[in-house]
Amino acid sequence: MRADLGTRTWRIASSPHLAQTVSCSRIMFIVIATLLPVTIWAVLNMGMLAVGLLVACIASTVGSEALWNWIARKPQTITDGSALLTGLLLALTMPPRTPLWIAVAGGVVAICLGKMLFGGLGWNLFNPALVGKAFVAISWAGVMSEQVVPGGWYRGIDVPAPEGHDAITGATRLAIAAADKAASGAYGFESSQHYVPLLFRNLEGSLGEISAALLILGGFILIAMRIIDWRIPAGYIGTAAVLSWAFGVDPVFHVLAGGLLLGAFFMATDYVTSPMTKVGRFLFGCGCGLINIVARLYGPGPEATTWAILFMNGLVPLIDRLTASRVFGWRKKNG
Amino acid sequence: MRNRGFSGGIHPSSNKERSRDSIVRRPSMPPRLHVPLSQHLGAPASPLVSSGDTVLRGQIIGEAQGPISAPVHSPVEGEVTGVYSTRLLSGAHGDVFEIVPDPHQDWDSFVKIDDSGDVSETIRMAGIVGLGGAAFPSSVKLHSSHGKPIRTVIVNGCECEPYLTCDDRLMRESPARVVTGARILGKAMGAKRIVIALEDDKPEAQEALSRHAESDVEIVVFPARYPQGAEKQLIYSIIREEVPHGRLPASVGVLVHNVGTAAAIADAVQLRKPLIERIVTVTGHVGQPANFLTLIGTPMSHLLSEAGGFAEGVSRIISGGPMTGTAVPDLELPVVKGTSGLVALADADLPPAVHADQPCIRCSRCVDACPMRLQPYAIGIHANRADWDGIQRFVPLSCIECGCCETVCPTRRPLIQLIRRAKQVLISKGVEA
């Protein structure tokens, strides 16, 4: 038991002498773990299409980060898990029939333009996965939509009704809803009949839209583990639901459909690109929900969730500044 | 009475169970004591004895110099065998008396301080400084109000630092001295309200104090949370007023003293006893964690031996608690008036080495944890860039260096070091706020 007391040289360090936290890479892997149920369910239902996209996205994000660091002679950072998470999130936003070369382009842009160009982890203003998604959505809108639904996404009301279409030729449920709403001001179907498929097995959408229930499960685990702040998804989903109701559309359908839940629990909650204050995070979530629903119902095209979160990412510095707390012992706000 | 208190804070594992049930006892007499002349904030005391002199227990051996200073007394009857200069725990050099104790000590007797009749003068003559760790001369604190009335005297028994149990044991074993000290302070300041504050992880102390406190002394209990015992946070929790930046607690009519200080004040006034010993918690990975009634000047190595030595894996010894304490570079350094504990920590307890180039991932844990509602991440980023103009709007000078931010940081950025650096630079540039 007794160690030598006298002759030893002690290394010193400044306080605090305690660490009580999860490490950065552990946080990343916890988030990845909570995305695994929905990822595995997508693979089971979509097979090699999903596997191909996952491999393409993850290999391109991790690979481009590794290559960037190597060329820039920077310390290697791929073990922090954040590039892996970006790749996984990007894949989950892709429709199953997206060509793999487009997925790879998305991954490269996500990391290089979305993250490394800003200075790497922690310095980027916009969510890297969504930068990648936005890039491919703009650049190859035609190609991607052709691959999903012959006849196109959001092309008008001539898409087949949900009962009569199958996984490969059908439009997304949201596309049908949007098209009907645009044409006649009402759904051409009973939206509640979509609840169960959207919750548990929805083949008409991107990989991550396969099951809203699994996304909600993952999100709640992250909130319970205090990895993410409940204020962002609460503000996001709450605003989306209230606004849908106010616009006269079915709130439950609009919360479950499309990329909203993946965005609310896993994208908008990205630490780097969300506000630093509690009030700010709630407002940020509300802003995402607002833009998402308005863009979805009245916007010119798909990707409402992507644009909503990216737009709000851009407001984060302003939100941080406006919602900073008054420092203890000061009358007026600093900063 | 319970209330919600300040904002922010963290809940580190307290680890107090290791030593909280160990009754306060005296360690064996060390062969030598090393009594520094500077054990307090302010000017060192000037020596009154020299090598070869015989001293009595409680005899004054260093005289206070200047307005902010404190006298030093010999903790034992014995012989001064040397006066030498060495680097103290603070990093500054200072003079130290080496005293060889007489083997036959009468623990109950000591040279009494003069009966001045004035509480503040008695506290000054007894050499009492803040025993919570800051070691600010207590009598000076009594005069810091500059004529402003002190409405509330708070005696701080929160002991929110992990591991430490010296205040807990004091309150459990000597509640009467703590309550008496609180009353003396309250009376001396003319305070309307006397409060003894502690955390709810010390139910025995709460009960013991309640038995001695009449209606004149309030016992206020807060949920255990770090840093409940930090002065500004404690004051806010009790009177719901913030001490303005750059001002003293007296500006909101409050005086705060640690429970150990209150007990020492009770001894000084009632027994005319100078401050020559204090309770020190020796804990962490040691044989038998203990609370020692320790003579000032006892080498840390002696106390660690008395606690059964420390385990093989111990890589850092902390003087004080792990959140704000100082890593000990040399175990021959002595216990001084401000030493509340010695905590032996192994690598598994310690944070991994930190690098300023680790990125901030903006997780906001530091912002949520800061009890001053600062933005530690932003101060850290600006300090890294040496952007001393841009940093000012984040008011690093308001930081109390409690360590919450760095403790919760997932990328383990050295936030406290960066903030200290910022404070140094801003102070040297003459920035007031």
Side-chain angles (χ1 to χ4, degrees):
Chain A
M1 183 67 190
R2 272 289 300 271
D4 185 15
L5 281 174
T7 57
R8 182 166 160 182
T9 308
W10 293 87
R11 223 164 13 159
I12 58 168
S14 80
S15 65
H17 306 282
L18 271 191
Q20 204 139 34
T21 182
V22 280
S23 72
C24 176
S25 53
R26 203 183 146 93
I27 291 170
M28 298 293 177
F29 287 113
I30 289 171
V31 178
I32 289 166
T34 55
L35 281 168
L36 281 184
V38 77
T39 308
I40 291 167
W41 188 232
V43 168
L44 290 178
N45 281 286
M46 298 170 177
M48 289 313 288
L49 291 175
V51 173
L53 280 172
L54 285 162
V55 171
C57 288
I58 291 170
S60 60
T61 53
V62 176
S64 45
E65 179 158 321
L67 199 63
W68 182 292
N69 285 327
W70 184 72
I71 293 169
R73 294 163 195 267
K74 294 247 168 116
Q76 199 46 265
T77 51
I78 51 171
T79 52
D80 65 23
S82 77
L84 178 57
L85 178 57
T86 299
L88 177 59
L89 284 170
L90 181 65
L92 291 177
T93 66
M94 297 280 178
R97 292 182 179 275
T98 309
L100 294 185
W101 62 273
I102 288 183
V104 169
V108 172
V109 168
I111 290 298
C112 295
L113 194 67
K115 183 165 115 179
M116 304 313 278
L117 208 58
F118 285 90
L121 180 65
W123 296 103
N124 48 297
L125 189 55
F126 300 100
N127 184 312
L130 291 178
V131 170
K133 181 65 202 293
F135 176 78
V136 297
I138 297 169
S139 307
W140 295 290
V143 180
M144 285 182 76
S145 47
E146 275 163 29
Q147 295 296 324
V148 181
V149 188
W153 278 2
Y154 294 82
R155 281 264 175 94
I157 45 174
D158 58 340
V159 286
E163 312 83 71
H165 69 147
D166 63 36
I168 294 162
T169 58
T172 67
R173 289 162 206 272
L174 206 51
I176 299 163
D180 287 0
K181 188 79 183 143
S184 60
Y187 296 133
F189 58 87
E190 187 58 50
S191 61
S192 62
Q193 74 189 54
H194 296 279
Y195 294 172
V196 171
L198 283 172
L199 274 168
F200 301 107
R201 188 164 178 273
N202 167 33
L203 295 170
E204 297 120 86
S206 65
L207 268 58
E209 291 169 39
I210 185 88
S211 164
L214 290 178
L215 289 174
I216 294 168
L217 174 73
F220 272 76
I221 291 172
L222 289 180
I223 291 170
M225 292 182 77
R226 294 178 172 259
I227 299 290
I228 62 171
D229 187 350
W230 60 270
R231 289 172 183 83
I232 294 175
Y236 197 145
I237 296 167
T239 305
V242 169
L243 218 60
S244 308
W245 173 79
F247 282 131
V249 294
D250 179 1
V252 179
F253 175 78
H254 274 278
V255 167
L256 296 178
L260 194 145
L261 287 173
L262 184 66
F265 285 114
F266 295 95
M267 306 273 214
T269 53
D270 170 32
Y271 289 153
V272 179
T273 56
S274 60
M276 297 296 284
T277 62
K278 289 174 181 165
V279 178
R281 288 193 287 272
F282 185 72
L283 293 176
F284 172 83
C286 293
C288 290
L290 171 84
I291 298 171
N292 197 331
I293 290 300
V294 171
R296 183 184 275 181
L297 295 179
Y298 301 103
E303 301 303 329
T305 301
T306 304
W307 299 119
I309 298 174
L310 286 174
F311 181 83
M312 290 307 294
N313 286 162
L315 292 186
V316 164
L318 185 68
I319 295 173
D320 277 345
R321 205 157 174 152
L322 292 179
T323 60
S325 299
R326 180 184 55 82
V327 175
F328 187 106
W330 289 79
R331 278 202 187 171
K332 62 172 177 55
K333 258 166 83 159
N334 296 282
Chain B
M1 175 185 148
R2 291 174 74 100
N3 74 38
R4 182 75 187 93
F6 63 100
S7 63
I10 59 173
H11 295 92
S13 324
S14 87
N15 283 301
K16 289 181 192 281
E17 67 285 351
R18 294 171 195 233
S19 58
R20 69 186 301 276
D21 293 320
S22 159
I23 295 168
V24 175
R25 64 189 166 92
R26 281 185 194 281
S28 70
M29 178 66 84
R32 277 176 184 76
L33 296 181
H34 302 272
V35 184
L37 280 163
S38 177
Q39 302 183 34
H40 46 263
L41 287 180
S46 70
L48 293 175
V49 293
S50 50
S51 195
D53 287 357
T54 304
V55 289
L56 297 171
R57 181 167 146 89
Q59 180 184 332
I60 184 164
I61 54 176
E63 189 178 33
Q65 267 191 118
I68 300 180
S69 186
V72 175
H73 302 80
S74 174
V76 289
E77 186 175 344
E79 189 191 343
V80 177
T81 52
V83 185
Y84 63 96
S85 173
T86 189
R87 186 188 284 273
L88 300 170
L89 191 60
S90 65
H93 280 263
D95 286 337
V96 178
F97 285 119
E98 186 186 77
I99 300 173
V100 174
D102 191 320
H104 309 289
Q105 293 284 331
D106 179 1
W107 293 114
D108 295 324
S109 81
F110 48 83
V111 179
K112 294 187 172 176
I113 52 176
D114 293 341
D115 187 2
S116 71
D118 174 57
V119 170
S120 163
E121 180 59 14
T122 304
I123 292 171
R124 195 194 64 76
M125 286 193 301
I128 296 172
V129 303
L131 297 190
F136 189 79
S138 300
S139 62
V140 180
K141 228 172 161 179
L142 258 55
H143 295 298
S144 61
S145 65
H146 300 293
K148 284 220 178 73
I150 297 293
R151 293 183 297 272
T152 310
V153 164
I154 300 172
V155 171
N156 184 357
C158 291
E159 199 169 51
C160 56
E161 270 273 8
Y163 287 93
L164 302 184
T165 55
C166 55
D167 290 350
D168 187 15
R169 290 310 309 181
L170 173 72
M171 292 186 284
R172 284 163 76 172
E173 296 182 36
S174 311
R177 288 163 66 213
V178 174
V179 173
T180 303
R183 286 195 180 114
I184 290 168
L185 284 166
K187 201 175 160 204
M189 304 311 294
K192 291 197 190 75
R193 200 176 164 200
I194 304 170
V195 177
I196 302 178
L198 63 162
E199 292 190 335
D200 62 2
D201 60 351
K202 304 174 189 68
E204 301 89 346
Q206 185 193 345
E207 209 220 301
L209 290 170
S210 301
R211 269 187 273 118
H212 288 82
E214 311 285 328
S215 59
D216 59 332
V217 178
E218 284 172 59
I219 311 293
V220 178
V221 180
F222 296 104
R225 175 168 47 138
Y226 181 85
Q228 180 64 60
E231 195 168 66
K232 289 178 177 182
Q233 280 63 30
L234 182 60
I235 292 169
Y236 178 77
S237 302
I238 291 171
I239 68 162
R240 297 270 144 195
E241 255 186 274
E242 295 178 8
V243 179
H245 173 80
R247 306 278 294 280
L248 293 170
S251 65
V252 291
V254 179
L255 177 74
V256 183
H257 277 292
N258 167 266
V259 284
T261 316
I265 287 171
D267 292 349
V269 171
Q270 293 193 317
L271 311 174
R272 303 204 340 251
K273 183 181 175 181
L275 179 58
I276 51 178
E277 50 198 357
R278 66 158 296 149
I279 304 173
V280 178
T281 302
V282 181
T283 184
H285 302 288
V286 295
Q288 299 90 38
N291 299 290
F292 288 123
L293 180 58
T294 310
L295 296 168
I296 302 302
T298 302
M300 293 176 178
S301 58
H302 183 78
L303 273 196
L304 287 161
S305 302
E306 288 286 306
F310 53 80
E312 273 306 328
V314 167
S315 52
R316 204 179 291 172
I317 308 274
I318 314 299
S319 170
M323 293 302 293
T324 59
T326 309
V328 179
D330 177 1
L331 295 182
E332 292 314 304
L333 283 167
V335 165
V336 293
K337 292 172 182 175
T339 310
S340 48
L342 293 176
V343 186
L345 297 178
D347 279 337
D349 312 310
L350 293 167
V354 286
H355 303 286
D357 57 0
Q358 282 289 304
C360 166
I361 58 167
R362 293 176 45 88
C363 70
S364 79
R365 284 176 173 78
C366 60
V367 178
D368 293 345
C370 180
M372 296 301 289
R373 295 191 300 267
L374 293 165
Q375 299 175 60
Y377 81 100
I379 302 176
I381 285 170
H382 284 82
N384 259 3
R385 288 186 197 139
D387 176 6
W388 308 122
D389 293 323
I391 207 168
Q392 289 183 28
R393 70 186 178 93
F394 300 107
V395 288
L397 289 173
S398 276
C399 173
I400 58 170
E401 300 179 26
C402 64
C404 287
C405 54
E406 191 171 321
T407 302
V408 299
C409 179
T411 56
R412 312 189 198 279
R413 285 172 56 74
L415 291 167
I416 292 293
Q417 284 192 60
L418 289 166
I419 292 171
R420 285 194 189 119
R421 172 83 184 121
K423 288 167 116 178
Q424 272 175 6
V425 172
L426 293 190
I427 289 168
S428 73
K429 285 169 147 236
V431 174
E432 284 291 316

